[in-house]
Amino acid sequence: MLGKARLLKVYMGESERYKNKPLYQYLVHWFKEKGIGGVTVSRGIEGYGQDKILHTARFLELSSDLPMILEVIDVPEKIDPLIPEVCSIVPKGLVFTADIQVYKHGKE
Amino acid sequence: MLGKARLLKVYMGESERYKNKPLYQYLVHWFKEKGIGGVTVSRGIEGYGQDKILHTARFLELSSDLPMILEVIDVPEKIDPLIPEVCSIVPKGLVFTADIQVYKHGKE
Amino acid sequence: MLGKARLLKVYMGESERYKNKPLYQYLVHWFKEKGIGGVTVSRGIEGYGQDKILHTARFLELSSDLPMILEVIDVPEKIDPLIPEVCSIVPKGLVFTADIQVYKHGKE
């Protein structure tokens, strides 16, 4: 997938679930099964989304629901057809893409 | 804010303060008050900026001043007018934008 | 470096080493020596790359090899000539660039 590629970013809450799994874990496996080249998950320490509710790691609470960020990378022909289904799996989060230029992917 | 949108990223030190608050917390509230669609804060583990001083989580120090990263997302018409004020609030950090394509934002 | 700039992102495993150092630490120093404007390192909590092996922080293992993400920012004339050498230093990771617009860099 060297050359022009697509970065897909998906933001969701850590506590969101899908089919009895944390949503972010479900998505990582889902992208892997679809043969997508690479996925990286990060946990934010604070944030808010469309509902304007601030989630933060500053207060120790059981349900802190911190932001989880997925970075998904592959060629546009593999990323773009998956976007509608990603949007329906992620009920409240943010989904966006950016155009990137890939110079190296594993041992390719 | 579906369609063409702007990602604004702001990098600063964890120990920087503004109006008696950690700078990154001040900014999250400030963007929220301005009605910006979404903000996510992450903490890096190492980094340097224009002053070329390396900050790292590898040595346990009281004032490690790790990098804090804000990702701010909304339409260009809402992000762009705020940039000059963001630059004046963030005295030493890095501020940049990238063009993105938003496919989902909350329940929209 | 205000104006059009380049974001270079490099993904690698936490346990990868280069010249007796963790690879990510080696790269931070290498970019600093090359005079690159700014570098930020983050640690992901889960991910997979070209070899499709899932690394995760969910299971406590000695060699969890979590994803490390470098964000490197400077003007294209300084970033682009370094890319071939970065690709050769990073044997298995992902290397990509994106075009950004820088509004502030330190006290500039």
Side-chain angles (χ1 to χ4, degrees):
Chain A
M1 64 158 156
L2 304 185
K4 286 183 193 304
R6 201 83 89 206
L7 166 66
L8 170 70
K9 288 191 79 164
V10 185
Y11 296 69
M12 72 213 84
E14 191 174 5
S15 69
E16 289 184 69
R17 296 181 72 82
Y18 192 83
K19 295 192 179 173
N20 283 324
K21 263 195 168 180
L23 175 56
Y24 77 92
Q25 288 177 24
Y26 180 87
L27 280 171
V28 173
H29 281 95
W30 188 81
F31 283 117
K32 201 157 165 263
E33 273 168 25
K34 300 287 185 189
I36 291 296
V39 176
T40 305
V41 185
S42 303
R43 180 188 280 115
I45 62 159
E46 188 161 323
Y48 72 85
Q50 196 221 12
D51 61 9
K52 299 288 188 291
I53 298 170
L54 184 69
H55 302 280
T56 173
R58 281 180 281 144
F59 312 110
L60 294 170
E61 291 166 22
L62 276 173
S63 58
S64 59
D65 200 25
L66 292 177
M68 302 297 280
I69 306 139
L70 256 73
E71 294 188 298
V72 183
I73 290 156
D74 211 317
V75 290
E77 307 86 73
K78 290 187 74 179
I79 295 285
D80 296 354
L82 299 180
I83 294 177
E85 203 169 342
V86 173
C87 290
S88 74
I89 294 174
V90 177
K92 299 186 302 179
L94 178 76
V95 177
F96 77 77
T97 61
D99 295 327
I100 60 172
Q101 189 77 19
V102 172
Y103 290 92
K104 187 170 178 68
H105 177 230
K107 289 162 192 160
E108 269 174 32
Chain B
M1 64 160 156
L2 304 185
K4 284 184 194 305
R6 202 81 89 207
L7 166 66
L8 170 70
K9 289 191 78 164
V10 185
Y11 295 70
M12 73 212 84
E14 191 173 5
S15 67
E16 289 184 69
R17 296 181 72 80
Y18 192 83
K19 295 193 177 171
N20 284 323
K21 262 195 170 179
L23 175 56
Y24 77 91
Q25 289 177 24
Y26 179 87
L27 280 171
V28 173
H29 282 94
W30 187 81
F31 283 117
K32 201 157 165 262
E33 273 168 24
K34 300 285 185 190
I36 291 297
V39 176
T40 305
V41 185
S42 303
R43 180 188 280 114
I45 62 159
E46 187 160 324
Y48 72 84
Q50 196 221 12
D51 61 10
K52 299 287 187 292
I53 298 171
L54 184 69
H55 302 281
T56 173
R58 281 180 282 143
F59 311 111
L60 293 170
E61 290 166 22
L62 276 173
S63 59
S64 59
D65 200 27
L66 292 177
M68 302 296 281
I69 306 140
L70 256 72
E71 295 188 298
V72 183
I73 291 157
D74 211 318
V75 290
E77 306 89 70
K78 291 187 75 179
I79 295 285
D80 295 354
L82 299 179
I83 294 176
E85 204 171 340
V86 172
C87 289
S88 74
I89 294 174
V90 177
K92 300 186 301 178
L94 177 76
V95 177
F96 77 76
T97 61
D99 295 327
I100 59 172
Q101 189 78 18
V102 171
Y103 290 92
K104 187 170 178 67
H105 176 232
K107 289 163 191 158
E108 268 174 31
Chain C
M1 65 157 156
L2 304 186
K4 285 183 194 303
R6 201 82 89 206
L7 166 66
L8 170 70
K9 289 191 78 165
V10 186
Y11 296 70
M12 72 213 83
E14 191 173 7
S15 69
E16 288 184 70
R17 296 181 72 81
Y18 192 82
K19 295 191 178 173
N20 284 323
K21 263 194 169 181
L23 175 56
Y24 77 92
Q25 289 176 24
Y26 179 88
L27 280 171
V28 173
H29 282 95
W30 187 82
F31 283 117
K32 201 157 165 261
E33 273 168 26
K34 299 286 185 189
I36 291 297
V39 177
T40 305
V41 185
S42 303
R43 180 188 280 114
I45 61 160
E46 187 160 323
Y48 72 84
Q50 196 221 10
D51 62 9
K52 299 288 186 293
I53 298 171
L54 184 69
H55 302 281
T56 173
R58 282 180 281 145
F59 312 109
L60 295 170
E61 290 167 22
L62 276 173
S63 58
S64 58
D65 200 26
L66 293 178
M68 302 297 280
I69 306 140
L70 256 73
E71 294 188 299
V72 183
I73 291 157
D74 211 318
V75 291
E77 306 88 71
K78 291 188 73 180
I79 296 284
D80 294 355
L82 299 179
I83 294 176
E85 203 170 340
V86 173
C87 289
S88 74
I89 294 174
V90 178
K92 298 186 303 177
L94 177 75
V95 177
F96 76 77
T97 61
D99 295 328
I100 59 171
Q101 189 77 19
V102 172
Y103 290 92
K104 187 169 179 67
H105 177 230
K107 289 161 192 160
E108 269 174 31

